[in-house]
């Protein structure tokens, strides 16, 4: 599948049951709290990386399971999510696996709060600065966040 803002928006909108707006940006301006997801890319055993604002990830997961914006904001402010929101956030990252690579198949592996936890290969990818897609995403009534 082609890696586009439209495909990311469509897949996430279908998942959370609300319109997720996606806009291409030239540079993602992340909030202080960011999560880094790693993916194994088949068939060549490659690695893909996605970074997402923590609050945006919480908002997408919360929308999927019907949490109020107040509850999402409260949990995101603490830097910790309850079990239901952790599971929903994992599902958001899993669904993104369908739209982050144009060739092969991405398989969601892990989500980290610190880049140094991700291993040398992921750090190398991020340091290389090649991001096929940098997006600003938002839900209606929510603050925007970034994904790359």
């Amino acid at each position: 599948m082609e890696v586009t803002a439209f495909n990311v928006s469509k897949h996430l909108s279908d998942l959370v049951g609300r319109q997720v707006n996606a806009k291409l940006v030239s540079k993602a301006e992340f909030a202080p709290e960011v999560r880094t997801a790693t993916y194994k890319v088949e068939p060549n055993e490659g690695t893909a990386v996605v970074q997402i604002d923590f609050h945006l990830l919480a908002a997408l997961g919360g929308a999927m399971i019907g949490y109020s914006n107040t509850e999402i904001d409260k949990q995101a402010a603490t830097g910790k999510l309850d079990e239901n929101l952790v599971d929903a956030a994992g599902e958001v990252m899993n669904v993104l696996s369908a739209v982050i690579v144009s060739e092969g198949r991405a398989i969601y592996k892990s989500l980290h709060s610190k880049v140094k936890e991700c291993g040398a290969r992921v750090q190398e990818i991020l340091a290389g600065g090649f991001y096929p897609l940098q997006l600003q995403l938002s839900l209606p009534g929510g603050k925007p966040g970034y994904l790359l």
Side-chain angles (χ1 to χ4, degrees):
M1 175 174 289
E2 188 176 358
V3 181
T4 66
F6 174 80
N7 285 337
V8 170
S9 173
K10 180 173 179 355
H11 274 72
L12 290 176
S13 296
D14 289 349
L15 176 69
V16 304
R18 295 172 62 192
Q19 178 62 40
V20 177
N21 299 308
K23 177 174 81 172
L24 283 171
V25 294
S26 59
K27 183 175 182 345
E29 298 174 17
F30 284 111
E33 288 283 326
V34 176
R35 295 301 183 260
T36 303
T38 62
Y39 299 81
K40 178 179 170 185
V41 180
E42 297 288 346
N44 62 358
E45 301 294 319
T47 300
V49 180
V50 169
Q51 288 193 301
I52 187 169
D53 278 326
F54 179 63
H55 188 277
L56 175 62
L57 180 59
L60 292 167
M64 185 179 93
I65 58 176
Y67 278 17
S68 69
N69 287 344
T70 303
E71 179 62 24
I72 293 164
D73 291 344
K74 184 175 101 178
Q75 288 194 41
T78 69
K80 294 191 181 265
L81 306 178
D82 69 26
E83 186 177 333
N84 293 328
L85 205 43
V86 167
D87 289 345
E91 187 58 26
V92 167
M93 300 315 292
N94 189 43
V95 164
L96 283 172
S97 68
V99 294
I100 63 166
V101 295
S102 57
E103 294 182 19
R105 177 175 162 246
I107 301 164
Y108 173 62
K109 302 303 279 178
S110 59
L111 186 65
H112 303 274
S113 59
K114 295 178 177 58
V115 171
K116 66 183 179 183
E117 299 170 348
C118 299
R121 178 65 185 134
V122 170
Q123 291 177 44
E124 180 182 303
I125 290 168
L126 291 171
F130 174 71
Y131 310 110
L133 204 59
Q134 295 187 59
L135 299 175
Q136 181 184 63
L137 301 177
S138 62
L139 289 159
K143 63 182 178 181
Y146 294 90
L147 176 133
L148 65 81

